[in-house]
Coordinates of all heavy atoms in Angstrom, one line a residue:
V1044 N -5.2 11.9 -18.3 CA -6.2 11.6 -17.3 C -5.5 11.0 -16.1 O -4.7 10.0 -16.3 CB -7.3 10.7 -17.7 CG1 -8.3 10.4 -16.6 CG2 -8.1 11.3 -18.9
E1045 N -5.6 11.5 -14.9 CA -4.9 11.0 -13.8 C -5.9 10.8 -12.6 O -6.9 11.6 -12.5 CB -3.9 12.0 -13.2 CG -3.1 11.5 -12.0 CD -2.2 12.6 -11.6 OE1 -1.9 13.6 -12.3 OE2 -1.5 12.5 -10.5
D1046 N -5.8 9.7 -11.9 CA -6.7 9.5 -10.8 C -5.9 8.8 -9.6 O -4.8 8.4 -9.7 CB -7.9 8.6 -11.2 CG -7.5 7.1 -11.7 OD1 -7.1 6.4 -10.8 OD2 -7.6 6.8 -12.8
N1047 N -6.6 8.8 -8.5 CA -6.0 8.1 -7.3 C -6.6 6.7 -7.1 O -6.9 6.3 -5.9 CB -6.1 9.0 -6.1 CG -7.5 9.2 -5.6 OD1 -8.5 9.1 -6.4 ND2 -7.7 9.5 -4.4
G1048 N -7.0 6.1 -8.1 CA -7.7 4.7 -8.0 C -6.7 3.6 -7.6 O -5.7 3.8 -7.0
V1049 N -7.3 2.5 -7.8 CA -6.6 1.3 -7.3 C -5.3 1.0 -7.9 O -4.3 0.3 -7.3 CB -7.5 -0.1 -7.3 CG1 -8.7 0.1 -6.6 CG2 -7.8 -0.3 -8.9
G1050 N -5.0 1.4 -9.1 CA -3.8 1.3 -9.8 C -3.4 -0.2 -10.2 O -4.3 -1.0 -10.1
F1051 N -2.2 -0.4 -10.6 CA -1.8 -1.7 -10.9 C -0.2 -1.8 -10.8 O 0.4 -0.8 -10.8 CB -2.2 -2.1 -12.4 CG -1.6 -1.1 -13.4 CD1 -0.4 -1.4 -14.1 CD2 -2.4 0.0 -13.8 CE1 0.1 -0.5 -15.0 CE2 -1.7 0.9 -14.7 CZ -0.6 0.6 -15.3
Q1052 N 0.3 -3.0 -10.8 CA 1.7 -3.1 -10.6 C 2.3 -3.0 -12.0 O 1.9 -3.6 -13.0 CB 2.1 -4.5 -10.0 CG 1.7 -4.7 -8.6 CD 1.9 -6.1 -8.1 OE1 2.8 -6.7 -8.5 NE2 1.2 -6.4 -6.9
M1053 N 3.4 -2.2 -12.1 CA 4.1 -2.0 -13.3 C 4.5 -3.2 -14.1 O 4.6 -3.3 -15.3 CB 5.2 -1.0 -13.2 CG 4.7 0.4 -12.9 SD 3.7 1.1 -14.2 CE 4.8 1.3 -15.6
K1054 N 4.7 -4.3 -13.4 CA 5.1 -5.6 -14.1 C 4.0 -6.1 -15.0 O 4.3 -6.9 -15.8 CB 5.6 -6.5 -13.0 CG 4.5 -7.1 -12.2 CD 5.1 -8.2 -11.2 CE 4.0 -8.8 -10.3 NZ 4.6 -9.7 -9.3
Y1055 N 2.8 -5.5 -14.8 CA 1.7 -6.0 -15.7 C 1.3 -5.0 -16.8 O 0.4 -5.2 -17.4 CB 0.5 -6.2 -14.9 CG 0.7 -7.4 -13.8 CD1 0.6 -7.2 -12.5 CD2 1.0 -8.7 -14.3 CE1 0.8 -8.2 -11.6 CE2 1.3 -9.7 -13.4 CZ 1.1 -9.4 -12.0 OH 1.3 -10.4 -11.1
V1056 N 2.1 -3.9 -16.9 CA 1.8 -2.9 -17.9 C 1.6 -3.4 -19.3 O 0.8 -2.8 -20.0 CB 2.9 -1.8 -17.8 CG1 4.2 -2.2 -18.5 CG2 2.3 -0.5 -18.4
D1057 N 2.4 -4.4 -19.8 CA 2.2 -5.0 -21.1 C 0.8 -5.6 -21.3 O 0.3 -5.7 -22.5 CB 3.3 -6.0 -21.4 CG 4.7 -5.3 -21.5 OD1 4.8 -4.1 -21.7 OD2 5.7 -6.0 -21.3
K1058 N 0.2 -6.1 -20.2 CA -1.2 -6.6 -20.4 C -2.3 -5.6 -20.3 O -3.3 -6.0 -20.8 CB -1.4 -7.6 -19.2 CG -0.7 -8.8 -19.2 CD -1.0 -9.7 -18.1 CE -0.4 -11.1 -18.3 NZ -1.1 -12.1 -17.3
L1059 N -2.0 -4.4 -19.9 CA -2.9 -3.4 -19.7 C -3.8 -3.0 -20.9 O -5.0 -2.9 -20.8 CB -2.3 -2.1 -19.2 CG -3.2 -1.0 -18.7 CD1 -4.0 -1.5 -17.5 CD2 -2.4 0.2 -18.5
F1060 N -3.2 -3.1 -22.1 CA -3.9 -2.8 -23.3 C -4.2 -4.0 -24.2 O -4.6 -3.8 -25.3 CB -3.1 -1.7 -24.2 CG -2.9 -0.4 -23.5 CD1 -1.8 -0.2 -22.8 CD2 -3.9 0.5 -23.6 CE1 -1.6 1.0 -22.1 CE2 -3.8 1.8 -23.0 CZ -2.6 2.0 -22.1
G1061 N -4.2 -5.1 -23.6 CA -4.6 -6.4 -24.3 C -6.0 -6.6 -24.3 O -6.7 -6.3 -23.3
V1062 N -6.6 -7.2 -25.3 CA -8.1 -7.6 -25.4 C -8.3 -8.6 -24.3 O -7.6 -9.6 -24.2 CB -8.4 -8.1 -26.7 CG1 -9.9 -8.5 -26.8 CG2 -8.1 -7.0 -27.8
F1063 N -9.3 -8.4 -23.5 CA -9.9 -9.4 -22.5 C -8.8 -9.5 -21.3 O -8.9 -10.4 -20.7 CB -10.3 -10.7 -23.1 CG -11.3 -10.5 -24.1 CD1 -11.1 -11.0 -25.4 CD2 -12.5 -9.9 -23.8 CE1 -12.1 -10.8 -26.3 CE2 -13.6 -9.7 -24.7 CZ -13.3 -10.2 -26.1
Q1064 N -7.8 -8.6 -21.2 CA -6.9 -8.7 -20.2 C -7.4 -7.8 -19.0 O -7.8 -6.7 -19.2 CB -5.5 -8.1 -20.6 CG -4.8 -9.2 -21.6 CD -4.5 -10.4 -21.1 OE1 -4.0 -10.5 -20.0 NE2 -4.8 -11.4 -21.9
R1065 N -7.5 -8.4 -17.9 CA -8.0 -7.6 -16.6 C -6.9 -7.8 -15.6 O -6.3 -8.9 -15.4 CB -9.2 -8.3 -16.1 CG -10.4 -8.3 -17.1 CD -11.7 -8.9 -16.6 NE -12.1 -8.2 -15.4 CZ -13.1 -7.3 -15.3 NH1 -13.7 -6.9 -16.4 NH2 -13.3 -6.7 -14.2
L1066 N -6.7 -6.7 -15.0 CA -5.6 -6.6 -13.9 C -6.2 -6.7 -12.5 O -5.6 -6.8 -11.6 CB -4.8 -5.4 -14.0 CG -4.1 -5.2 -15.4 CD1 -3.2 -4.0 -15.4 CD2 -3.2 -6.4 -15.6
H1067 N -7.6 -6.7 -12.5 CA -8.4 -6.9 -11.1 C -9.3 -7.9 -11.3 O -9.9 -8.3 -12.5 CB -8.9 -5.5 -10.7 CG -8.0 -4.4 -10.6 ND1 -7.6 -3.6 -11.7 CD2 -7.2 -4.1 -9.5 CE1 -6.7 -2.9 -11.3 NE2 -6.4 -3.0 -10.0
Q1068 N -9.8 -8.5 -10.3 CA -10.8 -9.5 -10.4 C -12.1 -9.1 -10.9 O -12.5 -7.9 -10.6 CB -11.0 -10.2 -9.0 CG -9.9 -11.0 -8.4 CD -10.1 -11.7 -7.1 OE1 -11.1 -11.5 -6.6 NE2 -9.1 -12.3 -6.6
A1069 N -12.8 -9.8 -11.7 CA -14.0 -9.4 -12.3 C -15.1 -9.1 -11.3 O -16.0 -8.3 -11.6 CB -14.6 -10.5 -13.3
E1070 N -15.0 -9.7 -10.1 CA -16.0 -9.4 -9.1 C -15.8 -8.0 -8.5 O -16.8 -7.4 -7.9 CB -15.9 -10.5 -8.0 CG -16.2 -11.9 -8.3 CD -15.0 -12.5 -9.1 OE1 -13.8 -12.3 -8.7 OE2 -15.2 -13.3 -9.9
E1071 N -14.7 -7.5 -8.5 CA -14.4 -6.2 -8.0 C -14.9 -5.0 -8.9 O -15.4 -4.0 -8.4 CB -12.8 -6.0 -7.8 CG -12.3 -6.9 -6.7 CD -10.8 -6.6 -6.6 OE1 -10.0 -7.2 -7.3 OE2 -10.4 -5.6 -5.8
F1072 N -14.7 -5.1 -10.2 CA -15.0 -4.1 -11.1 C -15.6 -4.6 -12.4 O -15.1 -5.6 -12.9 CB -13.7 -3.3 -11.5 CG -13.0 -2.6 -10.4 CD1 -11.9 -3.3 -9.8 CD2 -13.5 -1.4 -9.9 CE1 -11.2 -2.7 -8.7 CE2 -12.8 -0.8 -8.8 CZ -11.7 -1.5 -8.2
E1073 N -16.8 -4.1 -12.8 CA -17.5 -4.5 -14.0 C -16.7 -4.2 -15.2 O -15.7 -3.4 -15.2 CB -18.9 -3.8 -13.9 CG -18.9 -2.3 -14.2 CD -18.5 -1.5 -13.0 OE1 -18.3 -2.0 -11.9 OE2 -18.3 -0.3 -13.2
G1074 N -17.1 -4.8 -16.3 CA -16.4 -4.5 -17.5 C -16.0 -5.7 -18.3 O -16.0 -6.9 -17.7
T1075 N -15.7 -5.7 -19.5 CA -15.3 -6.8 -20.4 C -13.9 -7.0 -20.6 O -13.4 -8.0 -21.1 CB -16.0 -6.7 -21.8 OG1 -15.5 -5.5 -22.4 CG2 -17.5 -6.7 -21.6
G1076 N -13.1 -5.9 -20.3 CA -11.6 -6.0 -20.7 C -11.3 -5.7 -22.0 O -10.2 -6.0 -22.5
I1077 N -12.1 -5.0 -22.7 CA -11.7 -4.6 -24.1 C -11.6 -3.1 -24.3 O -11.2 -2.5 -25.4 CB -12.8 -5.1 -25.2 CG1 -14.1 -4.6 -25.0 CG2 -12.7 -6.6 -25.2 CD1 -15.2 -4.8 -26.0
G1078 N -12.0 -2.3 -23.3 CA -12.0 -0.9 -23.4 C -10.6 -0.2 -23.7 O -10.5 0.5 -24.7
L1079 N -9.6 -0.5 -23.0 CA -8.3 0.1 -23.2 C -7.7 -0.4 -24.5 O -6.9 0.3 -25.2 CB -7.4 -0.2 -22.0 CG -7.6 0.8 -20.8 CD1 -6.7 0.6 -19.7 CD2 -7.6 2.2 -21.2
A1080 N -8.0 -1.7 -24.9 CA -7.5 -2.2 -26.1 C -8.1 -1.5 -27.2 O -7.3 -1.1 -28.2 CB -7.8 -3.7 -26.3
N1081 N -9.3 -1.1 -27.2 CA -10.1 -0.3 -28.2 C -9.4 1.1 -28.3 O -9.2 1.6 -29.3 CB -11.5 -0.2 -28.0 CG -12.2 -1.5 -28.4 OD1 -11.8 -2.2 -29.2 ND2 -13.4 -1.6 -27.8
V1082 N -9.2 1.7 -27.1 CA -8.5 3.0 -27.0 C -7.3 3.0 -27.7 O -6.9 4.0 -28.5 CB -8.5 3.5 -25.6 CG1 -7.6 4.7 -25.4 CG2 -9.9 3.8 -24.9
K1083 N -6.4 2.1 -27.4 CA -5.1 2.1 -28.0 C -5.1 1.9 -29.4 O -4.4 2.6 -30.2 CB -4.4 0.8 -27.4 CG -2.9 0.6 -28.0 CD -2.3 -0.5 -27.5 CE -0.8 -0.6 -28.0 NZ -0.2 -1.9 -27.8
R1084 N -6.1 1.1 -30.0 CA -6.1 1.0 -31.5 C -6.6 2.3 -32.1 O -6.1 2.6 -33.1 CB -7.1 -0.2 -31.9 CG -6.6 -1.4 -31.6 CD -7.5 -2.6 -32.0 NE -7.6 -2.6 -33.4 CZ -8.6 -3.3 -34.1 NH1 -9.4 -4.0 -33.5 NH2 -8.6 -3.2 -35.4
I1085 N -7.6 3.0 -31.5 CA -8.1 4.2 -32.1 C -7.0 5.3 -32.0 O -6.7 6.0 -33.0 CB -9.3 4.7 -31.3 CG1 -10.4 3.8 -31.5 CG2 -9.6 6.1 -31.6 CD1 -11.7 4.0 -30.6
V1086 N -6.2 5.4 -31.0 CA -5.1 6.3 -30.8 C -4.1 6.1 -31.8 O -3.5 7.0 -32.5 CB -4.6 6.4 -29.4 CG1 -3.3 7.2 -29.3 CG2 -5.6 7.0 -28.4
E1087 N -3.7 4.8 -31.9 CA -2.7 4.5 -32.9 C -3.0 4.8 -34.3 O -2.2 5.1 -35.1 CB -2.1 3.0 -32.7 CG -1.4 2.7 -31.5 CD -1.1 1.3 -31.2 OE1 -1.8 0.4 -31.8 OE2 -0.2 1.0 -30.4
R1088 N -4.3 4.5 -34.7 CA -4.8 4.7 -36.0 C -4.8 6.2 -36.3 O -4.8 6.5 -37.5 CB -6.1 4.1 -36.2 CG -6.0 2.6 -36.4 CD -7.3 1.9 -36.7 NE -7.0 0.5 -36.8 CZ -8.0 -0.3 -37.1 NH1 -9.2 0.0 -37.5 NH2 -7.8 -1.7 -37.1
H1089 N -4.8 7.0 -35.3 CA -4.7 8.5 -35.6 C -3.3 9.0 -35.4 O -3.2 10.3 -35.2 CB -5.7 9.2 -34.7 CG -7.1 9.0 -35.0 ND1 -7.9 7.9 -34.7 CD2 -8.0 9.7 -35.9 CE1 -9.1 8.0 -35.2 NE2 -9.1 9.0 -36.0

């Protein structure tokens, strides 16, 4: 999946898949910060 969204700085890539880690301010984008952590766990278990 590729998009032209806001992106993130690569120096924070290690935080991207952490639980409750957000790379953007909560006021900018809704969410809890657990989505990609869940995705990573599911993919790894498969």
Side-chain angles (χ1 to χ4, degrees):
V1044 179
E1045 178 182 353
D1046 63 70
N1047 66 336
V1049 295
F1051 60 93
Q1052 294 180 21
M1053 286 304 290
K1054 66 182 179 181
Y1055 300 118
V1056 72
D1057 292 336
K1058 289 185 169 193
L1059 189 62
F1060 294 97
V1062 176
F1063 303 119
Q1064 294 294 315
R1065 298 180 59 100
L1066 300 181
H1067 300 91
Q1068 293 183 359
E1070 298 80 33
E1071 291 181 274
F1072 299 99
E1073 68 282 353
T1075 59
I1077 62 171
L1079 285 179
N1081 284 338
V1082 167
K1083 181 180 181 195
R1084 288 183 66 191
I1085 291 168
V1086 169
E1087 288 174 344
R1088 288 185 179 184
H1089 287 87

